[in-house]
Amino acid sequence: MNYSTQMDAAKKGIITKEMEIVAKKEKVRVEDLMELVSQGKVAIPANKNHLSIDPEGIGKGLRTKINVNLGISKDCCNIEMELEKVKKAIEMKAEAIMDLSCFGKTQEFRQRLIHMSPAMIGTVPMYDAVGFYDKELKDLTAEDLFRVVETHAKDGVDFMTIHAGMNRETAEIFKRNPRLTNIVSRGGSLLYAWMELNNKENPFYEQYDRLLDICEKYDVTISLGDACRPGSIADSTDPSQIKELMTLGELTKRAWERNVQIMIEGPGHMALNEIEANMVLEKKLCYDAPFYVLGPIVTDVAPGYDHITSAIGGAIAATYGADFLCYVTPAEHLRLPDLEDMKEGIIATKIAAHAADIAKGIKGARDWDNKMSKARKELDWEGMFNLAIDEEKARRYRKSSMPEDEHTCTMCGKMCAVRNMNKVMEGKNINILREDD
Protein backbone atom coordinates (compact mmCIF):
# COMPACT_ATOMS: atom_id res chain seq x y z
CA MET A 1 0.00 0.00 0.00
CA ASN A 2 1.13 3.56 -0.70
CA TYR A 3 1.14 6.29 1.92
CA SER A 4 1.98 9.98 1.94
CA THR A 5 3.12 10.52 5.54
CA GLN A 6 3.85 8.57 8.71
CA MET A 7 0.36 9.49 9.95
CA ASP A 8 -1.25 8.35 6.71
CA ALA A 9 0.58 5.01 6.96
CA ALA A 10 -0.47 4.59 10.59
CA LYS A 11 -4.13 5.25 9.77
CA LYS A 12 -3.92 2.62 7.04
CA GLY A 13 -2.36 0.08 9.42
CA ILE A 14 1.02 0.18 7.66
CA ILE A 15 4.08 -0.25 9.87
CA THR A 16 6.87 1.84 8.35
CA LYS A 17 10.59 1.24 8.83
CA GLU A 18 10.68 4.48 10.83
CA MET A 19 8.05 3.13 13.22
CA GLU A 20 10.02 -0.07 13.64
CA ILE A 21 13.20 1.85 14.50
CA VAL A 22 11.41 4.10 17.00
CA ALA A 23 9.58 1.20 18.66
CA LYS A 24 12.86 -0.65 19.16
CA LYS A 25 14.52 2.41 20.70
CA GLU A 26 11.60 3.04 23.01
CA LYS A 27 11.07 -0.62 23.95
CA VAL A 28 7.38 -0.47 23.00
CA ARG A 29 5.20 -2.60 20.75
CA VAL A 30 5.27 -1.23 17.22
CA GLU A 31 1.51 -1.77 16.92
CA ASP A 32 0.95 0.47 19.96
CA LEU A 33 3.26 3.10 18.50
CA MET A 34 1.42 2.97 15.17
CA GLU A 35 -1.87 3.64 16.96
CA LEU A 36 -0.43 6.70 18.72
CA VAL A 37 0.93 8.05 15.42
CA SER A 38 -2.47 7.56 13.79
CA GLN A 39 -4.06 9.62 16.58
CA GLY A 40 -1.45 12.39 16.37
CA LYS A 41 -0.29 11.75 19.94
CA VAL A 42 3.16 10.77 18.64
CA ALA A 43 5.00 12.40 15.76
CA ILE A 44 7.91 10.85 13.86
CA PRO A 45 9.47 13.81 11.99
CA ALA A 46 11.22 12.24 9.01
CA ASN A 47 11.29 14.09 5.71
CA LYS A 48 11.34 11.78 2.69
CA ASN A 49 14.46 13.61 1.45
CA HIS A 50 16.44 13.36 4.71
CA LEU A 51 18.22 10.14 3.79
CA SER A 52 20.71 10.12 6.68
CA ILE A 53 18.09 10.36 9.44
CA ASP A 54 17.95 7.98 12.39
CA PRO A 55 14.26 8.46 13.26
CA GLU A 56 12.95 9.43 16.68
CA GLY A 57 9.44 9.57 18.08
CA ILE A 58 8.11 12.51 20.05
CA GLY A 59 5.02 12.24 22.20
CA LYS A 60 2.93 10.22 24.59
CA GLY A 61 4.68 7.43 26.49
CA LEU A 62 8.08 8.01 24.84
CA ARG A 63 11.36 9.34 26.21
CA THR A 64 11.58 13.13 26.44
CA LYS A 65 13.65 14.36 23.50
CA ILE A 66 15.92 17.39 23.32
CA ASN A 67 16.66 19.90 20.58
CA VAL A 68 19.80 21.96 19.97
CA ASN A 69 19.57 25.38 18.30
CA LEU A 70 22.41 26.68 16.13
CA GLY A 71 22.96 28.62 12.92
CA ILE A 72 24.60 31.71 11.50
CA SER A 73 23.70 35.33 12.11
CA LYS A 74 24.86 38.61 10.60
CA ASP A 75 27.21 39.25 13.53
CA CYS A 76 28.52 35.66 13.69
CA CYS A 77 28.59 34.28 10.16
CA ASN A 78 31.02 31.38 10.53
CA ILE A 79 29.60 28.32 8.80
CA GLU A 80 32.52 26.06 9.74
CA MET A 81 32.13 26.94 13.44
CA GLU A 82 28.43 26.09 13.28
CA LEU A 83 29.28 22.77 11.63
CA GLU A 84 31.63 22.03 14.54
CA LYS A 85 28.65 22.58 16.83
CA VAL A 86 26.65 20.17 14.68
CA LYS A 87 29.31 17.49 15.11
CA LYS A 88 29.37 18.02 18.88
CA ALA A 89 25.57 17.89 19.13
CA ILE A 90 25.52 14.61 17.19
CA GLU A 91 28.34 13.22 19.33
CA MET A 92 26.34 14.12 22.45
CA LYS A 93 23.29 12.32 21.01
CA ALA A 94 20.89 15.25 20.74
CA GLU A 95 17.78 13.95 19.00
CA ALA A 96 17.13 17.14 17.03
CA ILE A 97 18.99 20.15 15.65
CA MET A 98 17.28 23.37 14.61
CA ASP A 99 19.01 25.55 12.05
CA LEU A 100 17.99 29.08 13.07
CA SER A 101 20.22 30.81 10.53
CA CYS A 102 18.93 34.30 9.84
CA PHE A 103 21.46 35.93 7.55
CA GLY A 104 22.51 35.60 3.94
CA LYS A 105 22.17 32.61 1.65
CA THR A 106 21.69 29.84 4.17
CA GLN A 107 20.90 26.95 1.84
CA GLU A 108 24.49 25.69 1.62
CA PHE A 109 24.73 25.36 5.39
CA ARG A 110 21.27 23.76 5.66
CA GLN A 111 22.01 21.20 2.95
CA ARG A 112 25.35 20.25 4.52
CA LEU A 113 23.65 19.94 7.90
CA ILE A 114 20.91 17.66 6.59
CA HIS A 115 23.39 15.52 4.67
CA MET A 116 25.60 14.87 7.72
CA SER A 117 22.99 14.62 10.48
CA PRO A 118 21.25 11.47 11.74
CA ALA A 119 19.33 13.78 14.10
CA MET A 120 16.06 15.26 12.87
CA ILE A 121 16.44 18.79 11.49
CA GLY A 122 14.15 21.72 12.11
CA THR A 123 14.06 25.24 10.69
CA VAL A 124 12.04 28.45 10.88
CA PRO A 125 11.53 29.48 7.24
CA MET A 126 10.44 32.98 8.28
CA TYR A 127 13.99 33.64 9.53
CA ASP A 128 15.39 32.75 6.14
CA ALA A 129 13.00 34.76 3.99
CA VAL A 130 14.62 38.19 4.33
CA GLY A 131 18.08 36.92 3.38
CA PHE A 132 16.79 34.45 0.81
CA TYR A 133 15.27 37.23 -1.29
CA ASP A 134 17.43 40.13 -0.08
CA LYS A 135 14.20 42.03 0.57
CA GLU A 136 13.07 44.12 3.51
CA LEU A 137 10.33 42.54 5.60
CA LYS A 138 7.51 44.76 4.31
CA ASP A 139 8.32 43.90 0.70
CA LEU A 140 8.02 40.13 1.11
CA THR A 141 4.93 38.61 -0.47
CA ALA A 142 2.91 35.59 0.55
CA GLU A 143 4.28 33.88 -2.53
CA ASP A 144 7.82 34.56 -1.30
CA LEU A 145 7.10 32.98 2.08
CA PHE A 146 5.60 29.81 0.65
CA ARG A 147 8.48 29.45 -1.78
CA VAL A 148 10.93 29.46 1.14
CA VAL A 149 8.86 26.81 2.94
CA GLU A 150 8.91 24.58 -0.15
CA THR A 151 12.67 25.07 -0.54
CA HIS A 152 13.27 23.94 3.04
CA ALA A 153 10.96 20.97 2.58
CA LYS A 154 12.67 19.94 -0.65
CA ASP A 155 16.08 20.20 1.04
CA GLY A 156 14.97 17.58 3.58
CA VAL A 157 13.94 19.52 6.71
CA ASP A 158 12.00 17.22 9.06
CA PHE A 159 10.04 19.81 11.01
CA MET A 160 9.38 23.52 10.55
CA THR A 161 8.29 26.10 13.05
CA ILE A 162 5.41 28.00 11.47
CA HIS A 163 3.71 30.76 13.46
CA ALA A 164 0.30 30.18 11.91
CA GLY A 165 -1.55 31.03 15.12
CA MET A 166 -0.45 34.69 14.98
CA ASN A 167 -3.49 35.85 13.01
CA ARG A 168 -5.30 39.19 13.02
CA GLU A 169 -7.56 38.05 15.84
CA THR A 170 -4.62 37.06 18.06
CA ALA A 171 -2.91 40.35 17.20
CA GLU A 172 -5.95 42.30 18.40
CA ILE A 173 -5.98 40.38 21.68
CA PHE A 174 -2.30 41.28 22.11
CA LYS A 175 -2.98 44.97 21.47
CA ARG A 176 -5.82 45.08 24.00
CA ASN A 177 -3.77 43.32 26.70
CA PRO A 178 -0.40 45.09 27.06
CA ARG A 179 2.59 43.01 28.08
CA LEU A 180 5.75 43.83 29.98
CA THR A 181 7.92 42.33 27.20
CA ASN A 182 5.61 42.48 24.16
CA ILE A 183 6.29 39.67 21.60
CA VAL A 184 9.69 38.01 22.08
CA SER A 185 9.39 35.22 19.52
CA ARG A 186 11.65 36.21 16.62
CA GLY A 187 9.45 34.54 14.00
CA GLY A 188 6.28 35.70 15.71
CA SER A 189 7.46 39.30 15.88
CA LEU A 190 8.44 39.24 12.19
CA LEU A 191 5.01 37.99 11.18
CA TYR A 192 3.23 40.44 13.47
CA ALA A 193 5.28 43.28 11.98
CA TRP A 194 4.59 42.03 8.42
CA MET A 195 0.86 41.97 9.13
CA GLU A 196 0.92 45.48 10.59
CA LEU A 197 3.09 46.96 7.85
CA ASN A 198 0.97 45.46 5.06
CA ASN A 199 -2.42 45.51 6.81
CA LYS A 200 -2.93 41.88 5.81
CA GLU A 201 -3.71 38.54 7.40
CA ASN A 202 -0.88 36.12 8.22
CA PRO A 203 -0.39 34.12 4.98
CA PHE A 204 0.36 30.92 6.91
CA TYR A 205 -3.04 31.19 8.61
CA GLU A 206 -4.96 32.50 5.64
CA GLN A 207 -3.52 29.91 3.24
CA TYR A 208 -3.04 27.10 5.74
CA ASP A 209 -4.20 24.46 3.27
CA ARG A 210 -1.38 25.50 0.95
CA LEU A 211 1.07 24.93 3.79
CA LEU A 212 -0.47 21.50 4.39
CA ASP A 213 -0.03 20.65 0.71
CA ILE A 214 3.73 21.19 0.97
CA CYS A 215 4.09 19.34 4.27
CA GLU A 216 2.07 16.35 3.08
CA LYS A 217 4.16 16.11 -0.10
CA TYR A 218 7.47 15.77 1.76
CA ASP A 219 6.17 14.48 5.12
CA VAL A 220 7.29 17.57 7.02
CA THR A 221 6.02 17.85 10.58
CA ILE A 222 4.64 21.29 11.40
CA SER A 223 5.82 22.65 14.72
CA LEU A 224 3.08 25.19 15.33
CA GLY A 225 5.02 28.12 16.73
CA ASP A 226 4.01 30.13 19.77
CA ALA A 227 4.43 33.71 18.59
CA CYS A 228 2.93 34.86 21.91
CA ARG A 229 5.12 32.79 24.18
CA PRO A 230 5.89 34.82 27.30
CA GLY A 231 9.27 36.54 27.40
CA SER A 232 9.00 37.26 31.11
CA ILE A 233 7.30 35.58 34.03
CA ALA A 234 5.01 38.64 34.20
CA ASP A 235 3.50 37.77 30.80
CA SER A 236 2.86 34.04 31.22
CA THR A 237 -0.60 32.50 30.90
CA ASP A 238 -2.03 35.80 29.64
CA PRO A 239 -4.85 36.32 27.08
CA SER A 240 -2.46 36.49 24.11
CA GLN A 241 -0.78 33.17 24.94
CA ILE A 242 -4.05 31.38 25.59
CA LYS A 243 -5.82 32.81 22.53
CA GLU A 244 -3.00 31.66 20.28
CA LEU A 245 -3.01 28.22 21.90
CA MET A 246 -6.72 27.85 21.14
CA THR A 247 -6.03 28.72 17.50
CA LEU A 248 -3.20 26.17 17.38
CA GLY A 249 -5.67 23.52 18.55
CA GLU A 250 -7.96 24.31 15.63
CA LEU A 251 -5.03 24.17 13.20
CA THR A 252 -3.94 20.84 14.68
CA LYS A 253 -7.23 19.17 13.79
CA ARG A 254 -7.10 20.56 10.25
CA ALA A 255 -3.58 19.19 9.78
CA TRP A 256 -4.51 15.75 11.06
CA GLU A 257 -7.39 15.61 8.57
CA ARG A 258 -4.68 15.93 5.89
CA ASN A 259 -2.40 13.37 7.61
CA VAL A 260 0.19 16.05 8.41
CA GLN A 261 2.01 15.50 11.69
CA ILE A 262 1.93 18.30 14.26
CA MET A 263 3.83 19.47 17.33
CA ILE A 264 2.78 22.41 19.49
CA GLU A 265 5.34 24.91 20.76
CA GLY A 266 5.06 26.39 24.23
CA PRO A 267 6.55 28.80 26.76
CA GLY A 268 8.88 30.58 27.33
CA HIS A 269 9.29 32.32 30.70
CA MET A 270 6.97 31.10 33.43
CA ALA A 271 6.87 30.89 37.22
CA LEU A 272 7.18 27.40 38.69
CA ASN A 273 3.63 27.31 40.04
CA GLU A 274 2.08 27.87 36.58
CA ILE A 275 3.92 25.16 34.67
CA GLU A 276 1.75 22.15 35.50
CA ALA A 277 -1.47 23.96 34.58
CA ASN A 278 0.00 25.11 31.26
CA MET A 279 0.99 21.57 30.32
CA VAL A 280 -2.50 20.28 31.10
CA LEU A 281 -4.06 23.17 29.18
CA GLU A 282 -1.98 22.53 26.06
CA LYS A 283 -2.78 18.84 26.02
CA LYS A 284 -6.48 19.62 26.44
CA LEU A 285 -6.74 22.42 23.87
CA CYS A 286 -4.50 20.69 21.31
CA TYR A 287 -5.90 17.17 21.65
CA ASP A 288 -2.81 15.55 23.20
CA ALA A 289 -0.52 16.60 20.35
CA PRO A 290 3.21 16.45 21.22
CA PHE A 291 4.30 19.53 23.17
CA TYR A 292 7.66 21.24 22.48
CA VAL A 293 8.78 23.79 25.09
CA LEU A 294 11.58 26.32 25.44
CA GLY A 295 12.38 26.00 29.13
CA PRO A 296 10.20 27.24 30.67
CA ILE A 297 12.71 29.69 32.15
CA VAL A 298 11.50 30.06 35.74
CA THR A 299 13.10 33.37 36.70
CA ASP A 300 14.21 36.37 34.66
CA VAL A 301 17.24 37.41 36.72
CA ALA A 302 19.92 34.83 35.84
CA PRO A 303 21.64 35.82 32.57
CA GLY A 304 24.67 33.58 32.20
CA TYR A 305 22.87 30.77 34.04
CA ASP A 306 19.72 30.35 31.96
CA HIS A 307 20.68 26.76 31.16
CA ILE A 308 19.90 26.15 34.86
CA THR A 309 16.69 28.23 35.03
CA SER A 310 15.54 26.42 31.89
CA ALA A 311 16.43 22.94 33.12
CA ILE A 312 14.44 23.52 36.31
CA GLY A 313 11.37 24.48 34.28
CA GLY A 314 11.96 21.82 31.65
CA ALA A 315 12.05 19.01 34.19
CA ILE A 316 8.73 20.15 35.66
CA ALA A 317 7.18 20.72 32.24
CA ALA A 318 8.15 17.27 30.97
CA THR A 319 6.94 15.65 34.18
CA TYR A 320 3.49 17.08 33.50
CA GLY A 321 3.24 16.42 29.79
CA ALA A 322 5.86 18.19 27.66
CA ASP A 323 7.45 15.76 25.20
CA PHE A 324 10.29 17.74 23.65
CA LEU A 325 12.65 20.22 25.33
CA CYS A 326 14.51 22.91 23.43
CA TYR A 327 17.86 23.45 25.07
CA VAL A 328 18.85 26.81 26.53
CA THR A 329 22.51 27.73 26.96
CA PRO A 330 24.31 30.02 29.44
CA ALA A 331 24.51 32.52 26.56
CA GLU A 332 20.72 32.95 26.32
CA HIS A 333 19.78 36.66 26.23
CA LEU A 334 23.48 37.58 25.85
CA ARG A 335 25.11 36.31 22.62
CA LEU A 336 25.28 33.53 20.06
CA PRO A 337 26.41 30.44 22.00
CA ASP A 338 29.90 29.09 21.48
CA LEU A 339 30.85 25.40 21.54
CA GLU A 340 31.23 25.25 25.32
CA ASP A 341 27.92 27.08 25.86
CA MET A 342 26.25 24.54 23.60
CA LYS A 343 27.71 21.61 25.53
CA GLU A 344 26.51 23.03 28.87
CA GLY A 345 23.06 23.61 27.41
CA ILE A 346 22.84 20.05 26.11
CA ILE A 347 23.92 18.53 29.43
CA ALA A 348 21.49 20.64 31.46
CA THR A 349 18.61 19.77 29.14
CA LYS A 350 19.48 16.06 29.06
CA ILE A 351 19.41 16.06 32.88
CA ALA A 352 15.98 17.71 32.86
CA ALA A 353 14.63 15.28 30.26
CA HIS A 354 15.92 12.20 32.07
CA ALA A 355 14.67 13.40 35.46
CA ALA A 356 11.21 13.85 33.94
CA ASP A 357 11.31 10.40 32.32
CA ILE A 358 11.90 8.89 35.75
CA ALA A 359 8.94 10.83 37.14
CA LYS A 360 6.73 9.81 34.18
CA GLY A 361 7.62 6.15 34.59
CA ILE A 362 9.07 5.80 31.09
CA LYS A 363 10.06 2.21 30.53
CA GLY A 364 13.73 1.62 31.37
CA ALA A 365 14.39 5.17 32.58
CA ARG A 366 15.38 4.12 36.11
CA ASP A 367 17.70 1.37 34.88
CA TRP A 368 20.46 3.88 34.12
CA ASP A 369 20.24 5.35 37.63
CA ASN A 370 20.21 1.92 39.25
CA LYS A 371 23.38 0.96 37.37
CA MET A 372 25.08 4.15 38.56
CA SER A 373 23.99 3.49 42.15
CA LYS A 374 25.38 -0.04 41.98
CA ALA A 375 28.71 1.29 40.68
CA ARG A 376 28.81 3.84 43.53
CA LYS A 377 28.05 1.18 46.11
CA GLU A 378 30.93 -0.88 44.75
CA LEU A 379 33.23 2.17 44.51
CA ASP A 380 33.64 1.25 40.86
CA TRP A 381 35.01 4.53 39.57
CA GLU A 382 35.45 3.36 35.99
CA GLY A 383 31.87 2.14 35.95
CA MET A 384 30.68 5.49 37.29
CA PHE A 385 32.57 7.38 34.58
CA ASN A 386 31.17 5.18 31.83
CA LEU A 387 27.61 5.77 33.06
CA ALA A 388 27.98 9.52 33.67
CA ILE A 389 25.89 11.89 31.56
CA ASP A 390 29.14 13.87 31.04
CA GLU A 391 31.97 11.35 31.27
CA GLU A 392 34.69 13.86 30.38
CA LYS A 393 33.83 16.25 33.23
CA ALA A 394 33.48 13.46 35.77
CA ARG A 395 36.92 12.08 34.88
CA ARG A 396 38.47 15.57 34.93
CA TYR A 397 37.09 16.42 38.37
CA ARG A 398 38.22 13.11 39.83
CA LYS A 399 41.72 13.46 38.38
CA SER A 400 42.09 17.04 39.64
CA SER A 401 41.90 16.00 43.33
CA MET A 402 43.01 12.45 44.07
CA PRO A 403 42.59 11.02 47.60
CA GLU A 404 45.07 9.09 49.73
CA ASP A 405 42.82 6.03 49.50
CA GLU A 406 42.11 5.52 45.80
CA HIS A 407 38.73 3.95 46.54
CA THR A 408 37.38 7.15 48.11
CA CYS A 409 37.36 10.82 47.12
CA THR A 410 38.80 13.94 48.74
CA MET A 411 35.45 14.95 50.22
CA CYS A 412 35.40 12.23 52.91
CA GLY A 413 38.56 10.17 52.47
CA LYS A 414 38.48 7.16 54.78
CA MET A 415 35.35 8.48 56.45
CA CYS A 416 33.53 7.57 53.22
CA ALA A 417 30.18 6.09 54.19
CA VAL A 418 30.16 3.75 51.21
CA ARG A 419 33.65 2.38 51.95
CA ASN A 420 32.94 1.89 55.63
CA MET A 421 29.48 0.35 55.17
CA ASN A 422 30.91 -2.12 52.66
CA LYS A 423 33.58 -3.13 55.16
CA VAL A 424 31.33 -3.44 58.19
CA MET A 425 28.67 -5.32 56.22
CA GLU A 426 31.41 -7.79 55.24
CA GLY A 427 32.46 -8.19 58.88
CA LYS A 428 35.75 -6.33 58.37
CA ASN A 429 37.49 -3.81 60.62
CA ILE A 430 37.40 -0.10 59.72
CA ASN A 431 40.69 1.78 59.96
CA ILE A 432 40.27 5.51 59.51
CA LEU A 433 43.45 6.89 61.13
CA ARG A 434 45.76 4.05 60.15
CA GLU A 435 46.57 1.84 57.19
CA ASP A 436 44.17 -1.01 56.53
CA ASP A 437 45.13 -4.41 57.93
Side-chain angles (χ1 to χ4, degrees):
M1 292 174 67
N2 294 325
Y3 59 89
S4 58
T5 67
Q6 294 291 322
M7 176 175 266
D8 183 37
K11 287 180 180 179
K12 292 174 176 174
I14 301 171
I15 295 172
T16 66
K17 67 178 187 299
E18 289 82 7
M19 291 179 203
E20 289 176 339
I21 292 168
V22 170
K24 185 175 181 180
K25 288 181 180 179
E26 301 287 344
K27 301 181 175 64
V28 298
R29 293 177 67 248
V30 70
E31 293 81 7
D32 295 337
L33 177 68
M34 180 180 67
E35 180 63 21
L36 291 169
V37 172
S38 74
Q39 297 169 357
K41 295 178 181 180
V42 166
I44 302 177
N47 188 309
K48 296 171 183 177
N49 290 345
H50 186 179
L51 303 181
S52 62
I53 193 170
D54 184 7
E56 296 283 355
I58 301 168
K60 187 172 182 177
L62 308 185
R63 290 177 297 108
T64 306
K65 307 306 187 299
I66 76 162
N67 171 70
V68 170
N69 289 340
L70 42 77
I72 55 175
S73 69
K74 186 173 183 179
D75 292 308
C76 296
C77 189
N78 186 334
I79 288 179
E80 295 308 318
M81 173 56 72
E82 294 309 297
L83 288 172
E84 284 303 310
K85 292 182 189 177
V86 172
K87 292 173 186 174
K88 177 58 71 172
I90 293 169
E91 177 188 317
M92 296 180 73
K93 295 181 169 55
E95 288 91 2
I97 297 171
M98 285 199 80
D99 173 17
L100 304 187
S101 295
C102 59
F103 173 73
K105 306 302 182 184
T106 60
Q107 189 170 31
E108 177 197 349
F109 174 67
R110 183 170 60 251
Q111 289 178 340
R112 289 174 69 181
L113 168 62
I114 292 166
H115 177 74
M116 70 189 289
S117 176
M120 53 188 155
I121 301 300
T123 59
V124 188
M126 191 68 200
Y127 294 178
D128 194 25
V130 174
F132 190 88
Y133 294 105
D134 195 21
K135 287 183 180 181
E136 288 299 334
L137 181 64
K138 182 180 184 298
D139 299 325
L140 291 171
T141 66
E143 193 66 34
D144 292 336
L145 298 180
F146 280 101
R147 197 175 303 130
V148 172
V149 169
E150 179 119 36
T151 298
H152 284 220
K154 193 177 295 185
D155 284 345
V157 169
D158 303 297
F159 65 98
M160 295 184 202
T161 293
I162 306 288
H163 297 89
M166 172 45 79
N167 58 12
R168 297 299 291 270
E169 192 175 358
T170 303
E172 288 303 315
I173 293 289
F174 164 72
K175 292 175 189 176
R176 295 201 302 268
N177 296 272
R179 287 178 143 192
L180 181 60
T181 49
N182 291 320
I183 294 173
V184 300
S185 159
R186 189 195 311 173
S189 66
L190 290 171
L191 272 167
Y192 176 84
W194 186 92
M195 291 162 59
E196 291 293 298
L197 291 169
N198 290 288
N199 193 29
K200 290 183 178 179
E201 180 59 276
N202 177 353
F204 294 128
Y205 178 79
E206 190 172 46
Q207 301 182 51
Y208 189 60
D209 285 329
R210 183 176 179 183
L211 177 66
L212 296 177
D213 288 340
I214 297 170
C215 293
E216 183 182 21
K217 180 178 178 181
Y218 297 95
D219 198 1
V220 174
T221 298
I222 301 176
S223 189
L224 284 169
D226 52 338
C228 294
R229 74 167 181 264
S232 61
I233 60 172
D235 293 337
S236 61
T237 326
D238 74 340
S240 300
Q241 182 195 336
I242 302 307
K243 172 62 180 72
E244 183 180 30
L245 186 62
M246 292 169 66
T247 303
L248 299 186
E250 295 171 357
L251 295 174
T252 294
K253 292 185 79 172
R254 287 176 60 186
W256 286 346
E257 289 169 2
R258 293 285 304 277
N259 297 319
V260 173
Q261 299 184 102
I262 287 290
M263 298 187 292
I264 307 296
E265 295 189 10
H269 292 234
M270 181 168 287
L272 283 169
N273 59 303
E274 294 182 43
I275 296 173
E276 180 182 359
N278 270 262
M279 301 305 109
V280 173
L281 197 59
E282 183 278 339
K283 290 291 183 176
K284 182 72 173 178
L285 292 177
C286 297
Y287 310 101
D288 223 9
F291 200 15
Y292 176 25
V293 297
L294 178 70
I297 291 172
V298 295
T299 177
D300 301 333
V301 299
Y305 297 91
D306 277 323
H307 59 312
I308 296 173
T309 62
S310 172
I312 293 168
I316 296 169
T319 295
Y320 291 108
D323 307 289
F324 193 18
L325 302 182
C326 185
Y327 92 151
V328 172
T329 77
E332 185 79 6
H333 303 108
L334 300 171
R335 69 175 189 197
L336 191 76
D338 64 17
L339 197 59
E340 188 58 31
D341 294 328
M342 190 190 78
K343 180 179 176 182
E344 288 194 44
I346 291 173
I347 294 296
T349 312
K350 285 173 75 82
I351 292 169
H354 180 62
D357 286 348
I358 294 169
K360 287 191 285 192
I362 296 297
K363 189 173 182 179
R366 284 179 178 264
D367 294 348
W368 186 5
D369 297 77
N370 291 340
K371 289 175 183 176
M372 176 64 85
S373 296
K374 183 174 184 293
R376 283 185 175 143
K377 176 187 175 184
E378 296 171 354
L379 294 170
D380 175 6
W381 291 95
E382 193 61 31
M384 286 184 253
F385 296 145
N386 290 335
L387 289 163
I389 205 164
D390 184 354
E391 179 179 349
E392 183 276 328
K393 186 172 186 178
R395 288 185 182 276
R396 175 161 46 87
Y397 270 46
R398 169 73 173 168
K399 189 176 181 180
S400 71
S401 184
M402 292 298 292
E404 178 186 359
D405 183 338
E406 65 178 14
H407 297 100
T408 66
C409 78
T410 53
M411 173 69 78
C412 300
K414 285 190 174 182
M415 288 190 183
C416 172
V418 176
R419 169 189 182 271
N420 293 334
M421 283 303 298
N422 286 346
K423 282 181 172 289
V424 77
M425 295 292 283
E426 294 169 6
K428 294 179 181 178
N429 188 26
I430 299 173
N431 290 334
I432 294 175
L433 302 178
R434 300 168 185 80
E435 294 294 325
D436 289 341
D437 296 333

